[in-house]
Amino acid sequence: MELLVDTPEGRRVGYAYTGGKPFDPGLPAIVFIHGALHDHSVWTLLARWFANHGHAVLALDLPAHGRSAGPALRSVEDLARWVLAALDAAAVAEAVLVGHSMGSLIALQAAAMAPARVKHLALLGTAVPMPVAPALLETARTAPLQAIDRVNVFSHSTFAAKPGNPGPGSWSHGGNRALMRRVQAASPEPNLFLVDFEVCNAYAGGLDAARKVRCPASLVLGARDQMAAPRQAAEVAAALNARVTTVQAGHSMMTEAPDAVLAALRGSLG
């Protein structure tokens, strides 16, 4: 589904996957926001489940990611404004926001900016703040494909997660690596990997944002997450008075523990 998103810089084309169902703004809306160097496809299972169980689904491609036009936005605050503008473009008055990794920061900031528009806030694989190691930023700057490989290793806690994933012939490590390389190569930005990780590294307003959120909140954390260790979410969980669910996975929890992540979201949203 294409969205004509109005921003201070002008109207941009944004894209959202609707879970295989026509988008109906009259249904309860749920919006999925992906992480660094990902796109809407990381939400396929969750998007399809909610679209087939009474929700209007928008799994967004952020600017310069996937099918959404560039240029990339360079701060969590600007990305949060873009998400809220995407809701306007889809005629959505209020929604559940679900964000993973970088997307969790964007969802948090959007909920702080427009508390009356967010019914529930779900943060997956989050850390507040979310600093990036200087060595990784430098590798992202000088050798982004090498940095992608490094992040891919740290994002997975298992070689092959079963029984939910992979299916016959699939490989979670290889799939994520291929997705990140594809998003990097297709982006109008010369080095989207670096842009995304600098966005995460620079965001300092997470705890202040959490204090402005007025809706119920939940966190889903990976017990073996090396990119955003569960202890790094303790302060934001307390500030949000959030329900916290831990799943047996690393940072790539939607592929390593798909059923557990879906169950956690279903339980949080009632």
Side-chain angles (χ1 to χ4, degrees), residues 15-181:
Y15 176 81
Y17 172 62
T18 61
K21 294 284 187 179
F23 184 77
D24 181 355
L27 294 174
I30 183 165
V31 177
F32 294 98
I33 309 169
H34 63 77
L37 219 57
H38 278 168
D39 66 5
H40 70 275
S41 64
V42 299
W43 299 113
T44 300
L45 170 67
L46 298 168
R48 291 186 67 85
W49 191 93
F50 282 99
N52 282 277
H53 290 82
H55 288 77
V57 169
L58 295 173
L60 299 170
D61 280 349
L62 293 171
H65 297 71
R67 303 182 192 179
S68 286
L73 299 177
R74 284 170 162 73
S75 74
V76 166
E77 292 83 358
D78 284 346
L79 285 159
R81 292 185 190 96
W82 184 90
V83 167
L84 294 171
L87 296 188
D88 292 338
V92 172
E94 61 178 11
V96 173
L97 297 186
V98 182
H100 175 250
S101 193
M102 180 180 77
S104 73
L105 304 182
I106 298 165
L108 173 62
Q109 184 64 34
M113 288 176 167
R117 300 190 68 177
V118 183
K119 295 174 60 178
H120 188 100
L121 176 66
L123 309 180
L124 281 58
T126 196
V128 178
M130 194 177 284
V132 180
L136 179 56
L137 282 175
E138 182 59 25
T139 305
R141 182 175 292 107
T142 60
L145 296 183
Q146 180 182 334
I148 286 171
D149 289 348
R150 185 176 301 177
V151 166
N152 194 42
V153 169
F154 286 130
S155 293
H156 291 84
S157 66
T158 60
F159 184 73
K162 297 179 181 180
N165 191 75
S170 68
W171 179 33
S172 54
H173 285 246
N176 189 65
R177 180 176 184 264
L179 172 61
M180 295 179 76
R181 283 176 168 247

Side-chain angles (χ1 to χ4, degrees), residues 112 204-213:
L207 293 177
D208 287 339
R211 297 182 187 103
K212 298 174 183 175
V213 173

